[in-house]
């Protein structure tokens, strides 16, 4: 959409949206946020950018490979935090030993896990957008 | 080591899971393949350790994150679940060992690493499915495994674009099945307030006769029936198996439906076993019995008229699933044991058959048409030999595992239903000879129409193929292990019914 | 005293906001074509949102909530003309002609 | 030495021959001598086993256990002793004859041929000494698979087609009927062991017994009961020694042996008599008997005629079992031996004629008697034995069968037997009659191979010997039906 | 490419974070700093850090303009409400010229037109705007180019 | 009274959504619409879970300082969140497949796809005949 | 109680716009209506938070506003180009 207003305003909105996403990400345990929503918000910024400036330009900021790597990294982080507990002699997904106290351990654990989730969700969304962006609804009969 | 043993039930799930993530981002496909094998081997190793543990302890319960059930998620490995665990671990190991050449030729180059990743993800999903004791967690694993399986099926689109449609149909039906299941779980949760299976089994009888429970049971069973490809909900299966990349066909044919059947047994006996009398599920089991008989014949007839070899085998799987379900629907110790025997044996048989067919189709780079590509067996004698053994096993010849299955199934059927049921079983297995004969004749007798093609044996498939063939014979001769573990499983399952 | 003033003004503000939203909704329903309706929609986005948010800000006093409410307000103020403009722009681009009395002047 | 040793030795000798033969590809003389030597060893063991059996010793062992109630086991019973003797004894003769035939005919792939010949004998002996239905079935299938390469030996289209029919019918019937029958027996009784007096007694109700028997009767395709008889004439494309092996020694005898084992040790004669479960089988076998005799008359090809004769003779044995009286079963058991010796004589003769003249049509054999007197004399003697004329061995078995039917007062069986005997006379004696009494047609080159002539004649002599030396056989058959214990 | 603009952006973002956060522990605050840095990095990488994105020179007169705009919006809201409720609309479509030099100025003008109910910018062609007005009087307001002058005044803040 | 009606209404809505979703999946020929139907079907389940989790007078299970607050049961919400993720994954995979199907077949209509398959089959068959 | 009344009035507005959404006429009408509904919902969520005494719900309304905006842009783009990808 070659629209001046849209382009200029997207430029303005891009950065605050990402920041807001990160804000939601790291304030997850205080409000109704968390990695899931944060990921969606950050991804929304990228998707908006891609819609207005084109997928190719978006791929300069978020290359496909990096996107996939981050997607996997997020999931890996999620799993790995659990494994840390396992290696420290606790069952899987117990974060108690991550911090100095049980409370802080849980907190750090949840923060890390949420970050993994956010990373994954964000990149999944972007990945999905990349793959569907060029899907052209042709003159298909739809029923 | 102590750390490993303590965490075995979760290790068999997270090992493939974590490896699948690593494999996904590796640039080198050989490395991906290597890591996939490593993960499979590790999983197998853990499964063996688990098997030893279970034989000592009967039941291993693992609490995720130290939250005790019913609040936290519990993982349970007992004498029942160890059977599908072994099937998954062994088949994954064997099938991934020779997968590389197949994936290189059957999957788009940029997707190969992802295919391996999905492969491991499927394994992880299936393992989780088997081990979890939480009804909702089960749903999650159900979807993990079937979504990754769908993606794997669709990977076959380089060879034939039908793989995409097959994957799509698998996805839609699978999703409906899973949603049905989760509706059932929701209803149960609504009335009982718990998701833990053993907790559910204790709380459901306390509710007395409750409509929600009946509806929940129906929904759950219906959902799993889709996944288990029980007639007439099997329509996704033949195409999905046929158009998937070859190693995937093997993996799915040997594991996916088996695990779903295991879940079916778990739901019917572990969750609802205690309330069996209250709801008099007898009438329901006759429906299952009827469907399994339909499956036996429908699958066989479809296989007889099918030309594509992989699809033919898939249709035959539908029929074999019928046998397995038949055993479960008898609700006797002998019946369930026989169905577990066939569960194991059919995994061995179908894995062998698919492997040999796949090996034969490798150089032709297309599906083997039972009539058009003929005489291929002459060019690949070792593969053909393995094929013959597995086919005879499918036919139920003595000294193969197929015979043992049939024997115990018929015995169980006779003991609870009298002569008519064994008669039907025998009739359908006699019919199955038609397509087995058709295959053998096509592959061996027909004059070579494709002698222009340079077809050689595939050396890398020898070892897994011969191992499977050997297992087909070995467990046909020394059937004690399978029979005993199946009887143990049946006993453990029926403990639920009071 | 101050509290009740704030409270009443908050209520007034909210009611005003609702009024504008209601009128905007009626406009969306009543006006003849998409271009005219954009004006009504603009009412909801500007006056309606502004008064409602003002009312809520007065309710919560100086706090994090107020900051967030203002943030929402700014966001809606910022995006409303974009969507309005892009919708109208697209409609024009696709050849939709507004109902006007000065037909000769239409571009 | 323990008694089991003889069973092991008897079984393992042909197996050893099977393993050794491929390695002796380069030295045909060593390779070919393996057969007769192996035959001698096996035959010696069979005799030893027979004498031990007659002494009342219990012989048998479990080879291995598959599951609690399933095992591969060997156990000696009267029928097994008889079949073991036939199989191992005729192996000697057949192997000697085969050497002559193969060399005289300059066949290709001789090593492969001998390899599978040995494995077929191995399977036959295992069938003879098998202790339960499962073991019997397994070696029954091994026999089918091992004889397939023999049938399709020539590897031309005709041979392949015949091989396909052969495999199709034998494997098909065994899996579709026999295997379910075995499964049903196991399901009913939880056991598959051959038991004196019958395994099924008390486990199966009267109305189902005939059906189970039918599964067995049609499942044992090697007994060539109509309508599953087509494989036998089709398999005639094979070299003559194979035909001899198929028709006289191993395959068809394995079939009727299995039939008799099922009747005596699974159903039990008394049980069949009580329930009349086998009456329908009398009819089926009688019809097979007469029809195949009629077809035999219409065949001009010597081997095809012999094939239909075999079908008819097999039905005698099945008939004996179906009558299900002690004497009839004894007769049937004897007929296994008598027919084996008689028919192998005829086939040897036919092969000898083929090697010498390359003729296979009966109408072409006119006047050949003078150039091949010994061969045609042997053919004549063999024919008489099969017809049942004293002093040939075949007269005993027919006599017992007659006695059996009289005892049961099935008069129409006697009529059937009489008619069929007349037909036998016609279609068998036509050959020597034409050879001796008709004019020689044209110049037929006769190049005899000594190793084909003498075994033939020896086999003919054996039919006479069996007439005289019948006592041991009688004793064994008595033990089968439980007389004299 | 850390320039003056990016530093300003960083502190603006940080201010935004601190305003919204409400939790001022070391962990969360340092995460905030990292987040702001990440945002700036992404902005630079996306190649959008320019005057269009952050028209710093608007800032001096921004407050005054905003207040004026709010006043305008209020008035036009009431007018539009009247039209919707009591009067019949008399829409017109016309073009006006804009006098802004920069893109950000034009966009501000166009958005201001749209933001005031009763008028919508439908198309922008260089410095010719096509505007849709609900009634003639709304159209006259735009044509009087008071708003155009205000935006140009805002733009000349540099 | 209101509560009861409300509860029953919830079930009705769940049921209606479920039926609409299933109907779309079954009856529509467009693969895309099927995925949409599936999504609706799955959404009905989320609603069902919410209904179970709702405690009368309870508020969202976000921890506040007020310890006397009655929270709705948080577990169903966690479950729904998981289920939503699964649902999104399913939809995404479905859409990805549709994109590829559209590329391969030039259509996302079920009938047209099977028509293409049929044509392919016949071409293959006639090729064989010609050889 | 006041917030409930406001919520109720907002629902009325919601329904009014919903009529336009369904009646539509042109696609742009529907998009416009959907966008306005989005705005209303954003406000409603905030007010609902106040009504429940849990103003933390505002975070959700921010996200909703964001999604509403991007969704509208996406739909508009889709109707413009037929796909979301290129410029
Ligand atoms: Na506006
Ligand atoms: Na406006």
């Amino acid at each position: 959409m070659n629209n001046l207003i849209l382009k200029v305003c997207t430029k303005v909105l891009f950065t605050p949206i990402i920041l807001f996403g990160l804000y939601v990400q790291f304030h997850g345990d205080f409000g109704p946020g968390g990695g899931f929503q944060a990921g969606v918000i950050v991804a929304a910024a990228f998707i908006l950018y891609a819609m207005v400036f084109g997928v190719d330009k978006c791929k300069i900021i978020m290359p496909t490979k990096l996107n996939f790597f981050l997607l996997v990294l997020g999931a890996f982080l999620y799993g790995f935090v659990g494994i840390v507990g396992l290696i420290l002699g606790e069952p899987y997904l117990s974060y108690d030993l991550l911090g100095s106290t049980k409370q802080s351990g849980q907190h750090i654990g949840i923060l890390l896990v949420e970050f993994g989730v956010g990373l994954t969700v964000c990149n999944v969304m972007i990945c999905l957008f990349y793959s569907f962006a060029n899907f052209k609804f042709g003159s298909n009969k739809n029923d | 080591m102590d750390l490993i043993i303590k965490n075995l039930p979760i290790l068999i799930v997270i090992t493939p899971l974590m490896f699948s993530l690593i494999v996904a981002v590796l640039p080198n496909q050989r490395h991906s393949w290597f890591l996939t094998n490593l993960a499979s081997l590790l999983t197998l190793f853990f499964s063996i350790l688990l098997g030893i543990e279970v034989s000592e302890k009967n039941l291993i319960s693992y609490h995720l994150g130290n939250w005790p059930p019913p609040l936290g998620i519990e993982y349970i490995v007992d004498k029942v679940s160890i059977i599908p665990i072994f099937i998954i671990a062994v088949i994954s190991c064997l099938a991934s060992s020779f997968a590389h050449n197949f994936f290189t030729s059957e999957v788009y180059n940029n997707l190969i690493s992802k295919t391996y990743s999905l492969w491991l993800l499927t394994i992880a999903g299936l393992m989780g499915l088997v081990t979890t004791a939480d009804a909702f967690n089960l749903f999650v694993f159900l979807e993990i495994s079937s979504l990754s399986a769908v993606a794997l099926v669709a990977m076959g689109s380089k060879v034939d674009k039908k793989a995409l449609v097959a994957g799509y149909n698998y996805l839609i039906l699978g999703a409906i099945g899973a949603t049905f299941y989760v509706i059932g779980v929701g209803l149960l949760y609504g009335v009982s307030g718990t998701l833990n299976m053993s907790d559910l089994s204790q709380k459901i009888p306390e509710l007395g006769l409750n409509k929600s429970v009946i509806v929940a049971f129906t929904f759950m069973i219906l959902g799993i029936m889709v996944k288990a490809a029980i007639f007439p909900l099997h329509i996704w299966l033949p195409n999905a198996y046929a158009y998937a990349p070859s190693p995937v066909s093997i993996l799915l044919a040997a594991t996916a439906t088996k695990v779903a059947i295991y879940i079916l047994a778990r739901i019917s006996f572990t969750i609802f076993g205690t309330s069996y009398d209250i709801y008099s599920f007898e009438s329901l089991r006759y429906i299952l019995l009827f469907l399994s008989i339909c499956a036996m014949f429908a699958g066989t007839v479809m296989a007889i008229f099918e030309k594509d070899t992989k699809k033919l085998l898939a249709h035959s799987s539908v029929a074999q699933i019928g046998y397995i379900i038949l055993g479960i629907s008898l609700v006797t110790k002998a019946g369930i044991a026989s169905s577990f025997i066939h569960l194991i044996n059919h995994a061995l048989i179908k894995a062998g058959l698919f492997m040999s067919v796949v090996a034969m189709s490798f150089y032709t780079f297309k599906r083997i048409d039972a009539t058009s590509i003929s005489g291929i067996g002459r060019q690949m004698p070792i593969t053909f030999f393995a094929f013959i053994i597995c086919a005879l096993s499918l036919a139920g010849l003595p000294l193969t595992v197929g015979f043992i299955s049939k024997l115990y199934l018929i015995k169980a059927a006779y003991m609870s239903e009298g002569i008519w049921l064994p008669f039907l079983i025998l009739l359908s297995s006699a019919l199955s000879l038609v397509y087995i004969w058709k295959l053998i004749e096509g592959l061996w007798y027909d004059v070579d129409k494709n002698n222009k093609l340079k077809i050689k044996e595939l050396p890398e498939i020898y070892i897994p193929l011969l191992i499977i063939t050997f297992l087909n014979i070995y467990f046909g001769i020394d059937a004690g292990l399978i029979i005993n573990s199946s009887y143990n499983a049946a006993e453990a399952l029926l403990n639920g019914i009071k | 005293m101050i509290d009740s003033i704030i409270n009443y003004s908050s209520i007034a503000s909210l009611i005003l906001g609702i009024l504008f939203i209601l009128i905007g909704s009626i406009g969306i329903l009543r006006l003849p074509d998409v271009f005219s309706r954009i004006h009504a929609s603009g009412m909801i986005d500007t006056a309606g949102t502004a008064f409602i948010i003002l009312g809520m800000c007065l309710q919560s006093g100086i706090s994090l909530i107020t900051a967030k409410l203002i943030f929402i307000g700014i966001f809606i103020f910022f995006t409303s003309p974009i969507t309005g403009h892009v919708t109208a722009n697209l409609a024009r681009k696709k050849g939709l002609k507004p109902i006007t009395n000065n037909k000769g002047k239409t571009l | 030495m323990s008694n089991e040793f003889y069973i092991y030795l008897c079984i393992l000798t042909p197996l050893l021959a099977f393993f050794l033969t491929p390695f002796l590809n380069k030295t045909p003389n060593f390779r070919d001598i393996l057969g007769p030597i192996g035959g001698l060893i096996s035959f010696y063991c069979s005799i030893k086993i027979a004498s031990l059996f007659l002494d009342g010793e219990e012989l048998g062992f479990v080879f291995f256990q598959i599951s609690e109630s399933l095992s591969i086991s060997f156990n000696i019973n009267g029928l097994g002793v008889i079949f073991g003797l036939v199989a191992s004894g005729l192996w000697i003769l057949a192997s000697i004859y085969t050497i002559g035939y193969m060399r005289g005919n300059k066949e290709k792939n001789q090593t492969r041929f001998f390899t599978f010949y040995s494995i077929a004998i191995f399977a036959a002996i295992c069938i003879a000494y098998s202790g339960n239905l499962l073991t019997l079935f397994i070696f029954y299938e091994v026999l089918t698979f091992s004889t397939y390469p023999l049938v399709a030996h020539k590897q031309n289209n005709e041979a392949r087609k015949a091989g396909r029919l052969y495999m199709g019918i034998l494997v098909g019937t065994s899996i579709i009927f026999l295997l379910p029958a075995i499964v049903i027996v196991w399901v009913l009784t939880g056991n598959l062991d051959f038991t004196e007096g019958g395994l099924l007694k008390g486990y199966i109700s009267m109305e189902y017994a005939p059906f189970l028997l039918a599964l067995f009767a049609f499942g044992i395709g090697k007994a060539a009961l109509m309508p599953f008889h087509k494989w036998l004439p089709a398999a005639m494309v094979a070299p003559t020694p194979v035909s001899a092996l198929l028709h006289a020694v191993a395959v068809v005898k394995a079939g009727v042996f299995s039939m008799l084992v099922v009747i005596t040790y699974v159903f039990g004669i008394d049980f069949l008599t009580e329930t009349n479960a086998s009456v329908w089988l009398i009819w089926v076998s009688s019809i097979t008997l007469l029809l195949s005799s009629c077809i035999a008359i219409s065949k001009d090809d010597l081997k095809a005629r012999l094939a239909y004769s075999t079908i008819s003779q097999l039905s005698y044995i099945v008939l004996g079992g179906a009558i299900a009286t002690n004497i009839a079963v004894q007769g049937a058991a004897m007929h296994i031996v008598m027919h084996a010796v008689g028919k192998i004589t005829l086939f040897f003769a036919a092969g000898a004629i083929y090697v010498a003249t390359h003729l296979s049509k009966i109408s072409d054999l006119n006047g050949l008697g003078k150039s091949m007197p010994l061969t045609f004399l042997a053919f004549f003697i063999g024919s008489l034995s099969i017809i049942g004329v004293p002093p040939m061995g075949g007269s005993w078995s027919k006599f017992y069968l007659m006695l059996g039917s009289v005892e049961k007062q099935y008069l129409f069986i006697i009529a059937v037997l009489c008619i069929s005997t007349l037909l036998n006379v016609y279609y068998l004696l036509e050959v020597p009659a034409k050879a001796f009494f008709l004019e020689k047609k044209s110049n037929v080159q006769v190049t005899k191979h000594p190793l084909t002539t003498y075994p033939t004649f020896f086999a003919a002599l054996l039919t006479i010997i069996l007439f005289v030396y019948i006592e041991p056989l009688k004793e064994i058959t008595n033990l089968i039906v439980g007389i004299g214990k | 490419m850390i320039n003056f603009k990016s530093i300003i952006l960083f502190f603006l973002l940080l201010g935004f974070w601190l305003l919204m956060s409400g939790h001022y522990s070391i962990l969360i605050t340092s995460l905030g700093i990292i987040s702001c840095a990440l945002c700036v990095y992404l902005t630079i990488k996306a190649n959008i850090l320019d005057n269009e994105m952050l028209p710093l020179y608007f800032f001096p007169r921004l407050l005054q303009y905003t207040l004026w705009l709010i006043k305008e919006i209020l008035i036009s809201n009431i007018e539009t409400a009247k039209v919707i409720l009591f009067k019949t609309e008399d829409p017109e479509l016309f073009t006006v010229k804009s006098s802004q030099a920069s893109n950000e100025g034009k966009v501000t003008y166009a958005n201001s037109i749209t933001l005031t109910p009763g008028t919508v910018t439908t198309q922008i062609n260089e410095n010719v705007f096509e505007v849709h007005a609900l009634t003639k009087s709304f159209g006259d307001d735009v044509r009087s180019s008071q708003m155009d002058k205000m935006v140009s005044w805002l733009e000349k803040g540099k | 009274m209101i509560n009861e009606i409300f509860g029953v209404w919830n079930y009705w809505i769940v049921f209606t959504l479920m039926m609409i979703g299933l109907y779309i999946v079954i009856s529509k020929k467009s693969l895309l619409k099927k995925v949409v139907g599936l999504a609706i079907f799955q959404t009905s389940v989320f609603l069902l879970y919410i209904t179970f989790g709702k405690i009368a007078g309870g508020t969202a299970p976000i921890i506040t300082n007020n310890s006397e607050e009655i929270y709705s049961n948080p577990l169903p919400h966690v479950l729904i969140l998981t289920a939503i993720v699964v649902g999104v994954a399913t939809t995404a995979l479905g859409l990805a497949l549709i994109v590829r199907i559209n590329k391969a077949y030039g259509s996302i209509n079920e009938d047209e796809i099977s028509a293409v398959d049929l044509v392919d089959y016949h071409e293959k068959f006639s090729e064989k005949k010609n050889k | 109680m006041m917030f409930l009344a406001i919520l109720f009035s907002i629902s009325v507005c919601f329904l009014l716009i919903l009529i336009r959404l369904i009646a539509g006429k042109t696609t742009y009408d529907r998009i416009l209506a959907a966008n306005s509904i989005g705005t209303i919902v954003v406000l409603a969520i905030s007010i609902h938070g106040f009504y429940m005494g849990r103003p933390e719900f505002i975070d959700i309304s921010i996200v909703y506003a964001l999604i509403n905006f991007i969704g509208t842009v996406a739909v508009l783009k889709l109707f413009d180009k037929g796909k979301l990808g290129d410029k």
Side-chain angles (χ1 to χ4, degrees), chain D residues 163-211:
Chain D
R164 216 146 134 179
L165 190 67
Y166 179 80
M167 285 287 272
I169 291 180
L170 289 188
V171 175
T173 51
S174 69
I175 297 183
I176 295 176
F177 301 122
L178 180 56
L179 189 57
I182 293 172
V183 171
I184 289 171
V185 169
W186 185 80
V187 166
L188 291 174
T189 64
N191 191 2
L192 287 175
D193 292 341
F194 297 139
T195 321
E196 285 202 17
L199 173 67
L200 277 169
K201 208 170 188 177
Y203 286 104
I204 187 169
S205 57
M206 263 177 70
E207 56 267 36
Y208 290 127
F211 292 103

Side-chain angles (χ1 to χ4, degrees), chain C residues 38-39 42 80-81, chain E residues 114-117 119-120:
Chain C
I38 290 173
H39 306 300
S80 157
Chain E
T114 314
L115 204 51
T116 48
T119 50
V120 177

Side-chain angles (χ1 to χ4, degrees), chain A residues 1 20 51 53 133 135-136, chain G residues 62 77 80-81 84-85 87:
Chain A
M1 226 183 280
F20 181 66
M51 280 195 301
F53 293 100
F135 178 59
K136 176 111 185 168
Chain G
I62 296 176
K77 169 132 203 189
D80 188 13
K81 297 275 155 87
L84 296 172
K87 283 193 270 183

Side-chain angles (χ1 to χ4, degrees), chain D residues 367-387:
Chain D
L368 278 178
K370 274 166 201 161
S371 36
M372 308 179 69
L374 268 183
T375 309
F376 278 100
L377 185 62
F379 195 100
F380 179 65
I381 294 171
S383 303
L384 288 183
S385 176
I386 284 176
I387 292 164

Side-chain angles (χ1 to χ4, degrees), chain A residues 10-11 14-15 49 53, chain E residues 43-44 46-50 53-54:
Chain A
T10 303
K11 280 185 183 180
F14 180 73
T15 319
Y49 185 86
F53 293 100
Chain E
T43 315
I44 292 168
N47 202 18
I48 55 174
L49 187 59
D50 52 17
M53 188 239 169
L54 195 62

Side-chain angles (χ1 to χ4, degrees), chain D residues 52-351:
Chain D
L52 285 169
F53 176 73
L54 284 174
D55 292 346
E57 297 254 2
E58 284 287 325
L59 283 165
F61 58 90
V62 175
F63 186 61
F64 63 73
Q65 203 80 28
I66 293 177
S67 73
E68 272 174 59
S69 52
L70 285 176
S71 64
I72 305 293
S73 66
F74 295 94
N75 213 338
I76 305 300
N77 55 46
L79 280 169
V81 165
I82 291 176
F83 184 44
L85 280 171
V86 169
S88 57
L90 294 188
W91 186 24
I92 310 171
L93 272 184
S95 55
I96 296 172
Y97 173 82
T98 307
I99 299 166
Y101 182 88
M102 297 305 271
R103 291 188 178 184
N105 236 359
K106 299 193 176 94
E107 292 272 351
K108 288 172 190 164
N109 295 326
Q110 291 196 16
T111 307
R112 190 182 73 193
F113 185 88
F114 281 109
T115 311
F116 284 104
Y117 211 97
S118 321
I119 195 82
I121 296 291
F122 160 72
I125 295 176
C126 285
I127 290 175
Y129 296 144
S130 58
N132 59 28
L133 273 172
L134 184 64
T135 318
L136 184 114
F137 180 83
I138 287 163
F139 290 105
Y140 182 93
E141 292 295 324
V142 171
L143 187 57
T144 313
F145 284 111
S146 62
T147 44
Y148 167 72
L150 300 179
V151 172
H153 181 78
K154 282 179 185 152
Q155 284 184 306
N156 52 22
N157 255 353
E158 196 195 355
R160 236 173 244 159
K161 222 172 165 183
R164 216 146 134 179
L165 190 67
Y166 179 80
M167 285 287 272
I169 291 180
L170 289 188
V171 175
T173 51
S174 69
I175 297 183
I176 295 176
F177 301 122
L178 180 56
L179 189 57
I182 293 172
V183 171
I184 289 171
V185 169
W186 185 80
V187 166
L188 291 174
T189 64
N191 191 2
L192 287 175
D193 292 341
F194 297 139
T195 321
E196 285 202 17
L199 173 67
L200 277 169
K201 208 170 188 177
Y203 286 104
I204 187 169
S205 57
M206 263 177 70
E207 56 267 36
Y208 290 127
F211 292 103
L212 188 58
L213 185 64
L215 282 182
F216 275 111
F218 292 116
I220 301 172
K222 290 190 172 124
L225 216 54
M226 276 181 183
F228 297 111
H229 65 285
K230 281 278 183 197
W231 62 271
L232 228 173
M236 281 303 139
V237 294
T240 311
V242 178
S243 309
L245 182 81
L246 295 178
H247 291 214
V249 188
V251 178
V252 294
K253 288 294 154 352
V256 287
F257 166 75
S258 308
M259 222 25 243
L260 285 183
V261 162
V262 166
I263 284 170
T264 47
Y265 297 125
V266 176
F267 280 89
I269 296 167
D270 296 341
F271 180 68
L272 285 179
T273 315
E274 279 166 30
T275 57
N276 281 332
S278 58
V279 174
W280 66 271
L281 190 56
I282 296 176
W283 285 94
V284 172
S285 53
S286 303
I287 291 166
T288 307
L289 202 154
L290 288 178
L291 265 182
S292 55
S293 298
C294 293
I295 296 170
I297 290 171
S298 69
K299 297 284 172 188
D300 189 34
D301 189 277
L302 179 56
K303 277 168 82 177
R305 182 174 284 190
L306 291 182
Y308 277 100
S309 148
T310 305
I311 297 172
S312 134
Q313 296 296 319
L314 294 177
S315 285
Y316 276 108
I317 301 171
V318 176
L319 181 66
I323 291 169
T325 62
N326 287 349
I327 292 174
V329 171
Q330 276 178 290
M334 275 183 201
H335 202 61
I336 290 180
V337 184
M338 300 311 176
H339 175 252
V341 179
K343 204 29 93 44
I344 207 169
T345 314
L346 298 186
F347 268 107
F348 280 180

